[in-house]
Amino acid sequence: MSDNSLIAAASEVRSRAYAPYSNFAVGAALQTKSGKVFTGCNVENISLGLTICAERAALASAVADGEREFVAVAIVTGFGEPVFPCGACRQVLVEFNPELQIIAATTDGRSETVLLSDLLPRSVQKILKPVTNV
Ligand code: THU
């Protein structure tokens, strides 16, 4: 799937974002290695910290469908410049592929692509065991 089709899928799901508190609607479309696309939008809550970001919503949907191999995610916002995933989403995405392509796009047609490993360098890749010889 082309970057533009992935952006179109993210843009479409963005129209269903529930963002009454920030008024900042976000759509995400995650592409699997096998070519499927899973989408998600942000879902806010009056208890603000419970907000679910679009990227994590898309990822949870894909994993629930049995997918674990991802190649790219497109994120669409109505901001003037491309917006990249928050720190929490970077960490959740890096679990599955540090080399994931992040395509950050805007509703007015701008986009920028970066590698997740550049947004979250030196991420933890295995469970760290404490030294026990104390
Ligand atoms: N948000 C996302 O869903 N993804 C991002 O990459 C940036 C932020 C949401 C969270 C919140 O609902 C709103 O955007 C404002 O931060």
Coordinates of all heavy atoms in Angstrom, one line a residue, residues 19 22 24 26 41-44 51-55 75 83-86 89, ligand 1:
A19 N -12.8 13.7 20.7 CA -11.9 14.6 21.3 C -12.5 15.9 21.7 O -12.2 17.0 21.3 CB -10.7 14.9 20.3
S22 N -9.8 18.3 24.0 CA -8.7 19.0 23.3 C -9.1 19.6 21.9 O -8.5 20.5 21.4 CB -7.6 18.1 23.1 OG -7.9 17.1 22.0
F24 N -8.7 18.2 19.3 CA -7.5 17.8 18.5 C -7.8 16.4 18.0 O -7.4 15.4 18.7 CB -6.2 17.9 19.3 CG -5.0 17.8 18.5 CD1 -4.6 18.9 17.7 CD2 -4.2 16.7 18.5 CE1 -3.4 18.8 16.9 CE2 -3.1 16.6 17.7 CZ -2.7 17.7 16.9
V26 N -7.2 13.0 16.0 CA -6.1 12.3 15.4 C -6.6 11.0 14.8 O -7.4 10.3 15.4 CB -5.0 12.0 16.5 CG1 -3.8 11.4 15.8 CG2 -4.6 13.3 17.2
C41 N -8.5 6.0 16.3 CA -8.6 7.4 16.5 C -8.4 7.7 18.0 O -8.5 6.7 18.8 CB -9.9 7.9 16.0 SG -11.4 7.2 16.8
N42 N -8.2 8.9 18.3 CA -8.1 9.2 19.8 C -9.4 9.2 20.4 O -10.4 9.6 19.8 CB -7.3 10.5 20.1 CG -7.8 11.7 19.3 OD1 -8.3 11.6 18.3 ND2 -7.5 12.9 19.9
V43 N -9.5 8.7 21.7 CA -10.7 8.6 22.4 C -10.4 9.2 23.8 O -9.7 8.7 24.6 CB -11.1 7.1 22.6 CG1 -12.4 7.0 23.4 CG2 -11.3 6.4 21.3
E44 N -11.0 10.4 24.0 CA -10.7 11.2 25.2 C -11.7 10.8 26.3 O -12.7 10.1 26.1 CB -10.7 12.7 24.9 CG -9.6 13.0 23.9 CD -9.4 14.5 23.7 OE1 -10.3 15.3 24.1 OE2 -8.3 14.9 23.2
T51 N -7.2 9.2 28.4 CA -7.3 9.3 26.9 C -6.4 8.2 26.2 O -5.3 7.9 26.7 CB -6.7 10.7 26.5 OG1 -7.7 11.7 27.0 CG2 -6.6 10.8 25.0
I52 N -7.0 7.7 25.2 CA -6.3 6.7 24.4 C -5.9 7.4 23.1 O -6.8 8.0 22.4 CB -7.2 5.5 24.0 CG1 -7.7 4.8 25.3 CG2 -6.5 4.5 23.1 CD1 -8.8 3.8 25.1
C53 N -4.6 7.3 22.7 CA -4.2 8.0 21.5 C -4.6 7.1 20.3 O -4.7 5.9 20.4 CB -2.7 8.1 21.5 SG -2.1 9.3 22.7
A54 N -4.6 7.7 19.1 CA -5.0 7.1 17.9 C -4.0 5.9 17.6 O -4.5 4.8 17.2 CB -4.9 8.1 16.8
E55 N -2.7 6.1 17.8 CA -1.7 5.1 17.5 C -2.0 3.8 18.3 O -1.9 2.7 17.8 CB -0.3 5.6 17.7 CG 0.1 6.8 16.9 CD -0.3 8.1 17.5 OE1 -1.3 8.3 18.2 OE2 0.5 9.1 17.3
I75 N -0.1 8.9 10.6 CA -0.8 9.6 11.6 C -1.3 10.9 10.9 O -0.4 11.7 10.4 CB 0.1 9.9 12.8 CG1 0.6 8.6 13.4 CG2 -0.6 10.8 13.8 CD1 2.0 8.6 13.8
V83 N 2.7 15.9 13.1 CA 2.8 15.6 14.6 C 3.2 14.2 14.7 O 2.6 13.3 14.1 CB 1.4 15.8 15.3 CG1 1.4 15.3 16.7 CG2 1.0 17.3 15.2
F84 N 4.3 13.9 15.5 CA 4.8 12.6 15.7 C 4.2 12.0 17.0 O 3.8 12.7 17.9 CB 6.3 12.6 15.7 CG 6.9 13.0 14.4 CD1 7.2 14.3 14.1 CD2 7.0 12.0 13.4 CE1 7.7 14.7 12.8 CE2 7.4 12.4 12.1 CZ 7.8 13.7 11.8
P85 N 4.2 10.7 17.1 CA 3.6 10.0 18.3 C 4.2 10.5 19.6 O 5.4 10.8 19.7 CB 3.9 8.5 18.1 CG 4.1 8.4 16.6 CD 4.7 9.7 16.2
C86 N 3.3 10.5 20.6 CA 3.8 10.9 22.0 C 4.7 9.8 22.5 O 4.8 8.7 21.9 CB 2.6 11.1 22.9 SG 1.8 9.5 23.5
C89 N 3.2 6.3 23.1 CA 2.9 5.6 21.9 C 4.2 5.1 21.3 O 4.3 4.0 20.7 CB 2.1 6.4 20.9 SG 0.4 6.6 21.4
Ligands
THU1 N1 -3.0 12.4 20.4 C1 -3.0 11.3 19.6 O1 -4.0 10.5 19.6 N2 -1.8 10.9 19.0 C2 -0.7 11.7 18.9 O2 0.3 11.4 18.2 C3 -0.7 13.0 19.5 C4 -1.8 13.2 20.6 C5 -4.2 12.8 21.0 C6 -4.3 12.7 22.5 C7 -5.3 13.8 22.9 O3 -6.6 13.2 22.7 C8 -5.1 14.8 21.8 O4 -4.4 14.2 20.7 C9 -4.4 16.1 22.3 O5 -3.1 15.7 22.8

